[in-house]
Amino acid sequence: MKFRSVRLSMALSAVIAATPMLIAAPGVSVARDEGMWTFDNFPLQTVNEKWDLSLDQAWLDRVRMAAVRIQGCSASFVSPEGLILTNHHCVVGCLQELSSAETDYVKNGFMVGTREEELRCPGQTAEVLTEIVDVTDRMLTAGMGMEGQAFAQARQGEVARIAQENCAGDPKFNCQVVDFYRGGRFALYKYRRYEDVRIAFAPEFQAAFFGGDPDNFNFPRYALDASFLRAYEDGKPVETPNHLKWNANAPAEGDPTFVVGNPGSTSRLLTMSQLERLRDQQLPVTLIQASELRGRFLTYAASGEEAKRVSVDPIFGLENSFKAQYGQHQALLDPAFMNTKRQEEAQLRAAVEADPALKQRIGDPWAELETIQAAARDLYLPYRQLAASAGGGSQLYAYARAIGRAAAQNAAGQLTAERKAQLEGALGAETPIYVDMEEIRLGYWLSKTREYLTVDHPQVKALLGKESPEGLADRLIGGTKLTDPAFRVAALSMTPDELAAADPLIAWVMANDAAAQAVASDWNQKVTIPTAQAAERVAQARFAVYGSNIYPDATFTLRISYGEVKGWSYRGVDVPAFTRIGGLYERHTGAEPFNAAAGFLAAEGRINKDLVFDFTSTNDIIGGNSGSPVINARGEVIGAAFDGNIHSLGGAFGYDGALNRTVSVSTSAITESLRVVYPQPRLLRELGVRG
Amino acid sequence: MKFRSVRLSMALSAVIAATPMLIAAPGVSVARDEGMWTFDNFPLQTVNEKWDLSLDQAWLDRVRMAAVRIQGCSASFVSPEGLILTNHHCVVGCLQELSSAETDYVKNGFMVGTREEELRCPGQTAEVLTEIVDVTDRMLTAGMGMEGQAFAQARQGEVARIAQENCAGDPKFNCQVVDFYRGGRFALYKYRRYEDVRIAFAPEFQAAFFGGDPDNFNFPRYALDASFLRAYEDGKPVETPNHLKWNANAPAEGDPTFVVGNPGSTSRLLTMSQLERLRDQQLPVTLIQASELRGRFLTYAASGEEAKRVSVDPIFGLENSFKAQYGQHQALLDPAFMNTKRQEEAQLRAAVEADPALKQRIGDPWAELETIQAAARDLYLPYRQLAASAGGGSQLYAYARAIGRAAAQNAAGQLTAERKAQLEGALGAETPIYVDMEEIRLGYWLSKTREYLTVDHPQVKALLGKESPEGLADRLIGGTKLTDPAFRVAALSMTPDELAAADPLIAWVMANDAAAQAVASDWNQKVTIPTAQAAERVAQARFAVYGSNIYPDATFTLRISYGEVKGWSYRGVDVPAFTRIGGLYERHTGAEPFNAAAGFLAAEGRINKDLVFDFTSTNDIIGGNSGSPVINARGEVIGAAFDGNIHSLGGAFGYDGALNRTVSVSTSAITESLRVVYPQPRLLRELGVRG
């Protein structure tokens, strides 16, 4: 088994295909706990007044220095010896890689008695944001008066110079120039980087993901979605005096909470016409098609033990992304949500209209985007079926396309040795291929392509010839040699003619690829590029009107959001903010995914059932925030964010304080687990709590 | 194999759960070929002016007397000896019943050399509308001054009296009092009824349904969806001097066309708030859930020969209804369509506001319906999952519920002997039960119920207990004795306690049925009943403002629509109005469902490929119109309507002349088939064409 770290890791942005990073919703009203704030622009006064606190920049610096960015997730130092708290679903890939036929760390957890037994997670790094330097002037000066390619090169050159000056190729540092407010502001983010990160503790999978898909994005929850890593350097644990103090006591309802982490991507400046196209076209067709694939997978999974095993991971990924997009769609279908967005847009447009100089500079990007949406409505289905979703997720299709394109580039003298070596590495890797799943994916994609583009579409005719979607898929997947890594690497040195003769799948993909690329290019020219240009002017208008009193869209860089512990109410149902450990045993049925982990079942007689397990708060977070420390006003860690409720998924487009909730696992549940379920006295000592 | 007659037979109304029959869209503007007109209120002048014709009431009477209503479909007499033209998909049930292990009339068609070999279709009747009598005054007088139950009984009594006076229990006649414009007008429809209807000719299934689901609701089409029945009385063919003359020549583009048949149900007076709830809640969740079931079925069907065989019919039904609802959803997502509806509503509301007496009588049903929609949004998912869609289509679940409810009624002394006998008949019938499909349906329904209502819904907890959806479904379907007709009948005499002990599925359904009925009752009280009351006043407002210058909503009674032969254009693609026989051979791939029928393949060298096969016209039709004769201005039959294009599905809510098209099989293709493919000289002679 292998589980991707999705949920709140970075997986929600796929739907917003045509729209790059934009700046955020107004935030001019602070009645709601909205915002993913940068550390140099946090509304300290608002927060201090709201909860009668006296937070200051020193407090912010302290929590910033304890925050850790890892691959696709967030985390924090929680001891002076480099111990890192994050989510279990952020380390499950590492656990999978470290497991063997004898030792299944995913199923059984990772529990060792000594620090020496902690195992390195391949490829895992940890980064601490040590410095934020405004470089807006330098960046705006670079490329001034230039256009097109020259402009882009000048900007890229300046980025490289800034990085070189500040990090100088030192592998201990990572320098990144971040573009906020779409060119309104630039900042150098300098990270201290650790490249030896080891797994220190993980619970059983079933403890971390109790409730599975039915509970995903829902609450109440009983998930111990927490694990510990440790940063090492020169073979020794890193000294981390700037860590968060562990507070094993759960917060109370209404307590202020701060979530510090790396939200991946938001699109809060999409215009109404863009949101409406997403709502009326892109999301419905995406949900409808994903549902059919889900049904195909589920029946396949029920056909036998091996089928179940190989489809667990794809079904998890599919259901997770289905639910994320379902939540986004629900937000866009909510009239109140859309009215807020409409008012915000009207307000901004009025402010532009009232300022002739600004109006002169900005023009009317809203009208342009509306025109672009008309084109997008016409082009979307062909683009989706023939380009964006081509292959339906089949790995063999992806190999065939990569090989075919490389051969074409090679024939045109455009394949660099570097690129070829890179491809050889990727294609030569041993990756398990599940032929049944490949056939389902390819057949499903062909079937939906015929259905949505119709039988009479020229490209549908070219793809299918005289075969049925499923018949063709079975023939191509059954006949390809691409399951063999050696063949894949060898294929990379063949000419297009040799490839066409050597493999039916590659031949077929190559025969249809020019048309697919033409469709993608059409979409790019008529939708992606003009959207980016118009969206940039919307963002500039926003920055001109509101300045940095608003927070920028998420960029997978460090942010802090404030909020409070709070449940919510929806359609007459009140959802309390807390669950308690005893609830796990009540929810346990024994049937997957509501089968409590063996460790928890064994500990039932000894565990304190009154302790808080998971809790919800009003913090504004999104994918990428997984593993973020939840911090109280004293700067102590009281939990790790691991999910949002279903309403929070609308956070891609805007924050709704009445409904959006962050879901976190409490330090009280983690502590109790380390005491009673998976006894780890060494970690408890390190966290400064009694064993 | 068994195929339901859906497509344009009556299957589209399920989605409009809460809204009974309403009257129709304005029709005050006749720029578009809109309307399903009654024969006593056809806009003769408009039509005559538009095409420079001189149609009169005699012409209308003549075509009315040739029109035939059959079970769920429409048809027409096309010879003086009772020969009836209808669609193949309207007789496929009959063919299935007449088939045996040796003789498969569905697959091979029904072709006989003499009239004596024509076989009776069990249960099939044919009805001709002979008289329309206005009974508005009688009906309005009946029950005047009464309310509630007394009112309803007085009205029912008057209906019975009218039927008695006019049909007097004569089985040769059927008297029906039809309510138009929701109580604005009542008419007696008197039908001559024939109870011996035989199959005279049917082509091969693959000729009738070439293109299957991919081509369904699309065009170009190459479907010979035509068959012949014959009405008999006293063992002899019925004499039908009032028949339509057979014209084997195809019409030309722009020629006027009249479709005469029985549209089943439209809801063109739904208010904006009702349409918006359908668009934003009911249709998306219906489409998303149906897609998942489709995926489950498709993978199951691919698992083996037997699985394929037993799932053909359910998959056909599911795909047909999916596409119908997808088309409806697309219409509601079309801003132009919704703007038209919005303007119509504003116009009517303004007319009511401008007339104080009318306003006093009508009140503001639009505002009431908006309030009801808020309740419907909250109640819909529980109502859908626990009541309307309970069981997911499982036949065994339906048996269990019927038996459990009968036992409860019996215990309360409310089960009449008549009702019990009726149930015994239904439950005792030998019906094939496919256990795998039953498990898929029940597991799917339980899984979606948990997903949409959440794990924490009390009724979800009660349904699942400690089991998984699929595990529970397998246990209940595996353990029930309801597959045995004898047990089903025996169960009907058991007490609730005995049933609970005798069968796990019945026990489980009974344990959860009270809660399901409470949810249904809640929906009924808060949505269905107040919707009917408000909708009636919307209809009265409409009738008061426009009178009978508008056509009433469809009621599965005889209507005539006018239009012309015309293709359409959508998103830059022009769809011509005609296909020709030669196109079938070009579209033939050999792979299902694009494998031409054996008869057509064998005839390729002899058939005239230039003849028109199918064609489209602007006529306004809907489910129930299947088999309707398409008539030219001279009153000759030139085709049989069998489908609409995807856009026509929005016709449930309103007619869009730019896009809505009727799809018909031409008499030219039928004639050529009877000449060359399935030689039937006796029928050609009867139709008056050369063999």
Side-chain angles (χ1 to χ4, degrees):
Chain A
M1 284 198 306
K2 174 175 164 293
F3 290 87
R4 277 188 294 274
S5 45
V6 257
R7 274 187 283 175
L8 278 178
S9 59
M10 295 176 62
L12 304 183
S13 58
V15 73
I16 312 146
T19 310
M21 250 147 44
L22 302 173
I23 65 160
V28 278
S29 144
V30 284
R32 47 193 185 191
D33 299 340
E34 172 172 349
M36 302 166 175
W37 299 91
T38 56
F39 272 77
D40 50 0
N41 191 35
F42 184 72
L44 274 171
Q45 195 185 339
T46 303
V47 170
N48 283 334
E49 282 170 7
K50 180 161 181 178
W51 284 286
D52 192 19
L53 301 173
S54 49
L55 307 185
D56 54 17
Q57 192 60 43
W59 185 92
L60 287 171
D61 291 345
R62 195 155 57 80
V63 301
R64 170 174 57 78
M65 292 297 287
V68 177
R69 182 168 77 170
I70 62 176
Q71 271 65 22
C73 280
S74 301
S76 59
F77 286 124
V78 291
S79 89
E81 297 174 287
L83 193 66
I84 294 170
L85 170 68
T86 188
N87 290 149
H88 179 274
H89 78 264
C90 295
V91 305
V92 73
C94 163
L95 295 171
Q96 175 65 22
E97 290 203 59
L98 296 176
S99 294
S100 65
E102 298 75 43
T103 322
D104 188 343
Y105 294 126
V106 175
K107 182 171 188 296
N108 303 317
F110 184 89
M111 298 138 204
V112 292
T114 65
R115 196 167 289 177
E116 288 65 36
E117 294 166 273
E118 295 173 353
L119 295 179
R120 184 166 179 173
C121 286
Q124 184 62 268
T125 63
E127 296 180 317
V128 178
L129 177 61
T130 54
E131 223 179 320
I132 301 176
V133 182
D134 191 289
V135 294
T136 308
D137 288 347
R138 283 186 66 170
M139 288 299 293
L140 292 183
T141 306
M144 197 171 271
M146 300 180 201
E147 289 206 0
Q149 193 67 10
F151 172 82
Q153 278 175 356
R155 281 279 176 96
Q156 282 160 17
E158 191 63 20
V159 166
R161 270 188 299 279
I162 292 170
Q164 174 63 24
E165 288 165 22
N166 288 276
C167 287
D170 183 343
K172 290 188 174 174
F173 289 92
N174 175 18
C175 275
Q176 188 186 357
V177 174
V178 187
D179 174 357
F180 295 110
Y181 310 103
R182 283 199 66 75
R185 212 196 129 212
F186 293 88
L188 164 69
Y189 271 42
K190 184 170 179 178
Y191 297 89
R192 180 67 166 91
R193 183 182 175 91
Y194 303 100
E195 299 198 324
D196 178 356
V197 179
R198 306 185 190 176
I199 180 76
F201 169 81
E204 296 163 275
F205 176 80
Q206 198 49 33
F209 198 45
F210 177 83
D213 173 67
D215 273 358
N216 196 13
F217 296 123
N218 281 325
F219 203 78
R221 289 291 277 281
Y222 304 87
L224 191 74
D225 196 348
S227 290
F228 291 101
L229 297 167
R230 189 186 304 277
Y232 282 76
E233 205 164 49
D234 305 324
K236 286 181 302 210
V238 171
E239 289 179 22
T240 46
N242 293 307
H243 63 274
L244 299 176
K245 185 170 184 300
W246 187 267
N247 182 336
N249 299 316
E253 183 120 15
D255 279 1
T257 49
F258 303 88
V259 173
V260 176
N262 305 277
S265 171
T266 52
S267 299
R268 295 193 175 172
L269 208 61
L270 290 182
T271 63
M272 289 312 292
S273 67
Q274 292 178 293
L275 293 175
E276 284 163 359
R277 194 188 68 79
L278 280 177
R279 179 193 65 191
D280 295 343
Q281 185 185 43
Q282 191 158 325
L283 283 169
V285 72
T286 301
L287 289 167
I288 287 170
Q289 288 200 14
S291 280
E292 187 183 319
L293 184 60
R294 184 184 186 185
R296 291 187 185 222
F297 280 172
L298 286 171
T299 298
Y300 173 68
S303 69
E305 275 308 305
E306 174 66 2
K308 182 176 177 188
R309 191 185 71 81
V310 304
S311 57
V312 164
D313 186 23
I315 288 173
F316 170 72
L318 186 60
E319 291 185 333
N320 190 69
S321 107
F322 172 84
K323 206 177 262 193
Q325 293 176 336
Y326 184 82
Q328 291 175 5
H329 195 217
Q330 290 300 306
L332 297 182
L333 288 171
D334 178 356
F337 184 89
M338 289 297 263
N339 276 339
T340 303
K341 297 295 290 184
R342 198 170 287 115
Q343 284 164 16
E344 289 170 3
E345 180 165 309
Q347 193 179 349
L348 180 59
R349 292 179 78 164
V352 171
E353 289 296 327
D355 180 342
L358 184 60
K359 170 75 186 169
Q360 168 76 19
R361 178 157 70 89
I362 299 298
D364 192 349
W366 294 273
E368 290 167 34
L369 284 164
E370 200 165 332
T371 305
I372 294 166
Q373 295 319 301
R377 277 178 201 259
D378 284 353
L379 297 174
Y380 176 67
L381 285 178
Y383 167 68
R384 172 191 173 80
Q385 296 305 131
L386 299 174
S389 303
S394 154
Q395 182 63 48
L396 295 172
Y397 179 95
Y399 286 146
R401 187 168 59 185
I403 290 166
R405 289 186 180 176
Q409 284 174 340
N410 203 20
Q414 292 165 343
L415 186 68
T416 63
E418 188 187 355
R419 171 74 183 141
K420 193 181 173 195
Q422 196 183 30
L423 277 169
E424 271 172 0
L427 292 167
E430 282 279 0
T431 312
I433 303 282
Y434 305 113
V435 169
D436 289 348
M437 294 291 286
E438 292 283 304
E439 289 179 357
I440 290 174
R441 285 184 182 279
L442 197 64
Y444 148 81
W445 166 60
L446 288 168
S447 163
K448 293 307 101 183
T449 299
R450 182 174 74 179
E451 179 173 332
Y452 283 83
L453 302 188
T454 79
V455 181
D456 300 288
H457 191 288
Q459 203 48 36
V460 172
K461 288 182 178 171
L463 283 167
L464 288 176
K466 296 206 173 275
E467 291 174 274
S468 72
E470 285 79 6
L472 176 61
D474 291 358
R475 180 174 70 77
L476 294 173
I477 298 295
T480 186
K481 305 186 191 79
L482 286 167
T483 46
D484 174 13
F487 174 75
R488 298 197 292 262
V489 171
L492 209 51
S493 299
M494 294 183 192
T495 66
D497 284 350
E498 287 167 349
L499 286 172
D503 192 274
L505 179 58
I506 300 178
W508 176 78
V509 171
M510 285 196 309
N512 289 289
D513 199 40
Q517 292 195 57
V519 167
S521 166
D522 204 31
W523 174 265
N524 204 30
Q525 293 301 318
K526 291 176 182 157
V527 180
T528 312
I529 292 173
T531 296
Q533 289 167 344
E536 185 156 337
R537 276 176 293 123
V538 173
Q540 285 165 3
R542 194 162 185 77
F543 192 65
V545 172
Y546 302 115
S548 61
N549 290 324
I550 49 171
Y551 57 93
D553 252 347
T555 51
F556 199 53
T557 53
L558 197 67
R559 304 294 177 89
I560 173 167
S561 86
Y562 62 91
E564 63 185 89
V565 176
K566 197 173 179 179
W568 77 96
S569 190
Y570 184 65
R571 293 198 169 150
V573 178
D574 292 321
V575 183
F578 295 107
T579 59
R580 300 193 182 266
I581 289 176
L584 170 71
Y585 298 95
E586 290 163 25
R587 204 174 188 77
H588 165 73
T589 64
E592 279 187 10
F594 293 98
N595 48 333
F600 271 86
L601 289 177
E604 184 174 2
R606 290 169 282 124
I607 205 163
N608 182 350
K609 291 185 174 178
D610 296 332
L611 292 176
V612 165
F613 203 138
D614 294 337
F615 64 92
T616 62
S617 60
T618 60
N619 299 80
D620 183 8
I621 68 171
I622 203 151
N625 264 116
S626 272
S628 296
V630 185
I631 297 172
N632 66 16
R634 289 190 300 278
E636 300 162 340
V637 60
I638 54 170
F642 69 94
D643 207 355
N645 66 355
I646 189 85
H647 309 290
S648 76
L649 294 161
F653 312 119
Y655 175 83
D656 178 348
L659 292 174
N660 289 30
R661 293 295 177 270
T662 290
V663 178
S664 304
V665 53
S666 72
T667 47
S668 85
I670 301 170
T671 306
E672 182 71 357
S673 302
L674 296 178
R675 276 187 178 126
V676 177
V677 185
Y678 310 110
Q680 289 283 315
R682 68 175 188 110
L683 292 182
L684 288 172
R685 270 194 306 277
E686 189 172 348
L687 294 170
V689 288
R690 280 183 305 116
Chain B
M1 284 198 305
K2 174 173 164 294
F3 290 89
R4 274 188 295 272
S5 45
V6 257
R7 276 187 282 174
L8 277 179
S9 60
M10 295 176 61
L12 304 184
S13 57
V15 73
I16 311 146
T19 311
M21 252 148 42
L22 301 173
I23 65 159
V28 278
S29 146
V30 284
R32 47 193 183 189
D33 299 341
E34 173 173 348
M36 302 166 176
W37 299 91
T38 56
F39 272 76
D40 51 359
N41 190 35
F42 184 71
L44 276 170
Q45 194 185 340
T46 304
V47 170
N48 283 334
E49 283 171 6
K50 181 161 181 179
W51 284 286
D52 192 19
L53 300 173
S54 50
L55 307 185
D56 54 17
Q57 191 62 42
W59 184 92
L60 286 171
D61 291 345
R62 194 157 55 82
V63 302
R64 170 173 57 79
M65 292 297 287
V68 177
R69 183 169 75 169
I70 60 175
Q71 271 64 24
C73 280
S74 301
S76 59
F77 287 124
V78 291
S79 90
E81 297 173 286
L83 193 67
I84 294 170
L85 170 69
T86 188
N87 291 150
H88 179 274
H89 77 265
C90 294
V91 306
V92 74
C94 164
L95 295 170
Q96 174 66 21
E97 291 201 59
L98 297 176
S99 295
S100 65
E102 298 76 43
T103 322
D104 188 342
Y105 294 126
V106 176
K107 181 171 188 296
N108 303 317
F110 183 89
M111 297 137 204
V112 292
T114 65
R115 198 168 288 178
E116 289 64 37
E117 294 167 274
E118 295 173 354
L119 296 178
R120 185 166 179 174
C121 286
Q124 185 63 269
T125 63
E127 295 179 317
V128 178
L129 178 61
T130 54
E131 223 180 321
I132 301 176
V133 183
D134 191 289
V135 294
T136 307
D137 288 346
R138 284 187 66 169
M139 288 297 294
L140 291 183
T141 306
M144 196 172 271
M146 300 179 202
E147 289 207 359
Q149 192 67 10
F151 172 81
Q153 278 175 357
R155 281 278 176 95
Q156 284 161 17
E158 191 64 21
V159 166
R161 271 188 297 279
I162 292 170
Q164 175 63 23
E165 289 164 22
N166 289 276
C167 289
D170 184 343
K172 290 188 174 173
F173 289 92
N174 175 18
C175 274
Q176 187 186 359
V177 174
V178 188
D179 174 357
F180 296 110
Y181 310 104
R182 282 196 69 72
R185 213 195 130 212
F186 294 86
L188 164 69
Y189 271 43
K190 184 171 178 178
Y191 297 90
R192 179 69 167 88
R193 184 183 174 90
Y194 303 101
E195 297 199 326
D196 177 357
V197 179
R198 306 185 190 176
I199 179 78
F201 170 81
E204 297 163 276
F205 176 80
Q206 197 49 33
F209 198 45
F210 177 82
D213 173 68
D215 273 359
N216 195 14
F217 296 121
N218 282 324
F219 203 80
R221 288 290 276 282
Y222 304 87
L224 191 74
D225 196 349
S227 289
F228 292 100
L229 297 168
R230 191 186 303 278
Y232 283 74
E233 205 163 47
D234 305 323
K236 288 182 300 212
V238 172
E239 288 179 22
T240 45
N242 294 307
H243 64 272
L244 300 175
K245 185 170 184 301
W246 186 267
N247 182 336
N249 299 316
E253 182 121 16
D255 279 0
T257 49
F258 302 87
V259 173
V260 176
N262 305 279
S265 170
T266 51
S267 298
R268 295 193 176 172
L269 208 60
L270 291 183
T271 62
M272 291 310 294
S273 67
Q274 292 178 294
L275 293 174
E276 284 164 0
R277 194 188 68 80
L278 280 177
R279 179 193 66 191
D280 295 343
Q281 185 186 44
Q282 192 158 324
L283 283 169
V285 72
T286 301
L287 290 166
I288 287 170
Q289 288 199 14
S291 281
E292 186 184 317
L293 184 60
R294 184 184 186 184
R296 291 187 186 222
F297 280 172
L298 287 170
T299 297
Y300 172 68
S303 69
E305 275 309 305
E306 175 66 3
K308 182 176 177 187
R309 191 186 70 81
V310 304
S311 57
V312 165
D313 186 23
I315 288 173
F316 170 72
L318 185 61
E319 289 185 334
N320 190 70
S321 105
F322 172 84
K323 206 178 262 192
Q325 294 177 334
Y326 184 82
Q328 292 176 5
H329 194 217
Q330 291 299 305
L332 297 183
L333 287 171
D334 178 354
F337 184 89
M338 289 297 263
N339 277 340
T340 303
K341 297 295 290 184
R342 198 170 286 116
Q343 283 163 18
E344 289 170 3
E345 180 165 310
Q347 196 180 344
L348 180 58
R349 292 180 77 164
V352 171
E353 290 295 328
D355 179 342
L358 185 60
K359 169 75 186 169
Q360 168 76 17
R361 178 156 70 90
I362 299 298
D364 191 349
W366 295 272
E368 290 167 33
L369 283 163
E370 199 165 334
T371 305
I372 295 165
Q373 295 320 301
R377 276 178 202 258
D378 284 353
L379 297 174
Y380 177 66
L381 286 178
Y383 167 69
R384 172 191 172 79
Q385 295 305 131
L386 299 175
S389 304
S394 155
Q395 182 62 50
L396 295 173
Y397 179 95
Y399 286 145
R401 188 168 58 184
I403 291 167
R405 288 186 180 177
Q409 285 174 340
N410 204 22
Q414 293 166 343
L415 187 67
T416 64
E418 187 188 353
R419 172 73 183 143
K420 194 181 172 196
Q422 194 183 32
L423 278 168
E424 270 173 1
L427 293 167
E430 281 280 0
T431 312
I433 302 284
Y434 305 113
V435 170
D436 288 349
M437 295 291 285
E438 292 283 304
E439 288 179 356
I440 290 175
R441 285 185 184 277
L442 197 64
Y444 147 81
W445 165 60
L446 288 167
S447 162
K448 293 307 100 180
T449 299
R450 181 175 74 181
E451 179 173 331
Y452 284 82
L453 303 188
T454 80
V455 181
D456 300 288
H457 191 288
Q459 204 48 34
V460 172
K461 287 182 180 172
L463 283 167
L464 289 175
K466 296 205 172 278
E467 292 175 271
S468 73
E470 285 79 6
L472 175 60
D474 292 359
R475 179 174 70 77
L476 293 173
I477 299 294
T480 186
K481 305 184 191 81
L482 286 167
T483 47
D484 174 13
F487 174 75
R488 297 197 293 261
V489 171
L492 209 50
S493 299
M494 295 184 193
T495 65
D497 283 351
E498 287 167 350
L499 285 172
D503 193 273
L505 180 57
I506 301 177
W508 176 79
V509 170
M510 285 198 307
N512 288 289
D513 199 40
Q517 293 196 56
V519 167
S521 165
D522 204 31
W523 175 265
N524 204 30
Q525 293 302 318
K526 292 176 182 158
V527 180
T528 311
I529 292 173
T531 295
Q533 289 168 345
E536 185 156 337
R537 277 176 292 124
V538 172
Q540 286 166 2
R542 195 165 186 76
F543 191 64
V545 172
Y546 301 115
S548 63
N549 290 325
I550 49 172
Y551 58 94
D553 252 346
T555 51
F556 199 53
T557 52
L558 197 67
R559 305 294 178 90
I560 173 166
S561 87
Y562 62 90
E564 62 184 272
V565 175
K566 196 172 178 179
W568 77 96
S569 189
Y570 183 65
R571 291 199 171 150
V573 178
D574 292 323
V575 182
F578 295 106
T579 59
R580 299 190 182 270
I581 289 176
L584 170 72
Y585 298 95
E586 291 163 25
R587 204 174 188 77
H588 165 72
T589 65
E592 278 186 12
F594 294 99
N595 48 333
F600 272 87
L601 289 176
E604 184 174 2
R606 291 168 282 125
I607 205 163
N608 182 349
K609 292 186 173 177
D610 296 332
L611 292 175
V612 166
F613 204 136
D614 294 336
F615 64 92
T616 62
S617 60
T618 60
N619 298 80
D620 183 9
I621 68 171
I622 204 148
N625 266 116
S626 272
S628 296
V630 185
I631 297 172
N632 66 16
R634 289 189 301 278
E636 301 162 339
V637 61
I638 55 170
F642 70 93
D643 207 357
N645 67 355
I646 189 88
H647 308 291
S648 77
L649 294 161
F653 313 117
Y655 175 83
D656 179 349
L659 292 174
N660 289 30
R661 292 296 177 269
T662 289
V663 178
S664 304
V665 54
S666 73
T667 47
S668 86
I670 300 170
T671 306
E672 183 71 359
S673 303
L674 296 178
R675 277 188 178 126
V676 177
V677 185
Y678 311 109
Q680 289 283 314
R682 70 174 187 111
L683 292 181
L684 289 172
R685 270 195 305 277
E686 189 172 349
L687 294 170
V689 290
R690 282 182 305 114

